[in-house]
Structures are given as structure tokens and as C-alpha cells.
Amino acid sequence: MDIKITERAAKFYIKEMNLTESDDVSLFVRVGGVGSGGFSVGIHKGKPDKEFLTYEVSSISFCLAFDDLWYLDGITIDFDEDIGDITFRNERFSDLSNP
């Protein structure tokens, strides 16, 4: 699996979601989102209710269900200072109209 969550992204989530050390955050595939081919990344505090992988960044556990790896594998989640928001990039999907 090739998934990257930057320290900048983790710090953004810590601030925006009022996370504390050792909190769990789930990343999942959701239907909808502009320019995403009908899919985008959802997020919620807590663990998935399915089997999952964990990536620890800035003392936060980012959890990804195995069922969602078809979309999340290869993703880089970062924070862009210029736009003040999270960015998602996945080189596997060159055509986001049909990933």
C-alpha cells in the first residue's frame, strides 16, 4: 500500500476536529465530490467497523478499511497553505471523470 498523510494534513485535522493524542480518524470512500469521478474521501472521528490498516501521523491513528483501498491506495493527503485546505492527489487516477 502506498498511502501518505503529511504532518501538515495531520495538524490541520487535529485543529479542525479538536483531536487529542491517540485519537482515531477514519478515512473512507464516499459517493460524490466535484472532479472526483463520483467518489471522494470522507473522514470521521473513530475507527471503522470493518478490518482496517492504521497509519500513525502526529500521534493520530488514521484508519483505512481494507474495503476502501481500491480508491485510497496511492493517495497523498496534504495541506495546501495557499488555499488553506486539504488536498488529495492520487497518481493512479489520471482521469478523474472515470477512475
Side-chain angles (χ1 to χ4, degrees):
M1 292 299 111
D2 182 26
I3 296 164
K4 182 175 182 187
I5 303 163
T6 68
E7 293 282 335
R8 292 185 304 217
K11 288 178 182 174
F12 173 84
Y13 286 126
I14 290 167
K15 180 181 174 191
E16 291 298 311
M17 298 176 72
N18 296 315
L19 301 173
T20 58
E21 188 173 312
S22 75
D23 274 344
D24 299 303
V25 173
S26 291
L27 301 170
F28 59 94
V29 179
R30 62 182 285 273
V31 176
V34 176
S36 64
F39 301 102
S40 60
V41 178
I43 186 166
H44 70 83
K45 189 173 178 179
K47 294 179 182 176
D49 55 0
K50 309 173 190 179
E51 287 188 68
F52 61 92
L53 295 172
T54 301
Y55 293 85
E56 188 168 319
V57 184
S58 295
S59 299
I60 302 298
S61 295
F62 290 88
C63 307
L64 297 86
F66 286 111
D67 290 352
D68 292 330
L69 293 179
W70 66 271
Y71 186 78
L72 297 171
D73 185 25
I75 201 165
T76 298
I77 302 172
D78 198 3
F79 177 78
D80 185 320
E81 301 265 343
D82 292 335
I83 63 172
D85 208 352
I86 292 291
T87 60
F88 301 92
R89 187 178 73 252
N90 193 330
E91 302 298 326
R92 288 182 36 233
F93 300 130
S94 60
D95 179 6
L96 289 179
S97 64
N98 189 17

